[in-house]
Amino acid sequence: MYSSRTVTALLTILTATSIAAQGDTLMSTRTAHVDSLLVPSSELEERPSFPGGEAALMRYLATEAQYPDSAVDAGISGKVYMQFVVEKDGSIGGVMVKKGVHPSLDAEAVRLVKSMPIWTPGRMDGQPVRVQFIIPIGFELQ
């Protein structure tokens, strides 16, 4: 189903739009909910981090991605914007395509995000919190 070729695109991580929530409900893309107070996500004490940092995340995406044969054959490329939540335990949840390119590229981006290892969770007031990210994953034929 997938080509043995890896994605040759630059897999770019933009500054993540994030939110954190102490409870189960995510409040908005700009605020965090802690003890019934809305706090800007920029006030997180510690942002979630991929093991090894952003450079390691980019390497992970570049080495694990496989360009689907159907997209190669059709000459399809572009950026898939993925939304996901780094949970309080560092696991990845709430994975969804925010803006897709093509079903095969979208499916590969979902697979990549769902297969990410455990992150270090974000913290606010010393407690782990849920943080939402939106990242672009670029697929480019060369």
Side-chain angles (χ1 to χ4, degrees):
M1 174 175 172
Y2 290 111
S3 167
S4 61
R5 291 169 278 224
T6 58
V7 175
T8 56
L10 296 176
L11 294 159
T12 354
I13 307 301
L14 295 179
T15 301
T17 303
S18 63
I19 63 173
Q22 190 68 15
D24 292 330
T25 306
L26 297 174
M27 299 304 292
S28 80
T29 58
R30 297 283 177 206
T31 59
H33 182 262
V34 179
D35 296 328
S36 300
L37 298 174
L38 295 178
V39 180
S41 62
S42 61
E43 292 183 17
L44 284 171
E45 290 170 4
E46 189 178 322
R47 291 179 55 106
S49 61
F50 185 84
E54 284 188 22
L57 173 57
M58 292 179 72
R59 278 191 308 275
Y60 167 81
L61 294 172
T63 59
E64 295 298 318
Q66 297 179 1
Y67 218 114
D69 286 335
S70 60
V72 171
D73 295 343
I76 298 169
S77 62
K79 286 184 184 174
V80 178
Y81 288 83
M82 294 299 302
Q83 178 177 303
F84 62 95
V85 175
V86 177
E87 300 289 351
K88 292 178 185 183
D89 64 359
S91 64
I92 303 300
V95 177
M96 65 179 279
V97 175
K98 192 73 172 168
K99 181 180 176 191
V101 174
H102 181 271
S104 64
L105 293 182
D106 298 352
E108 177 59 9
V110 167
R111 185 192 70 77
L112 282 169
V113 172
K114 283 185 172 182
S115 65
M116 284 194 275
I118 300 293
W119 289 44
T120 301
R123 293 193 171 274
M124 183 176 287
D125 295 331
Q127 299 298 312
V129 293
R130 302 174 75 213
V131 181
Q132 181 179 28
F133 282 86
I134 299 174
I135 63 170
I137 300 176
F139 294 86
E140 208 174 287
L141 293 171
Q142 294 187 4

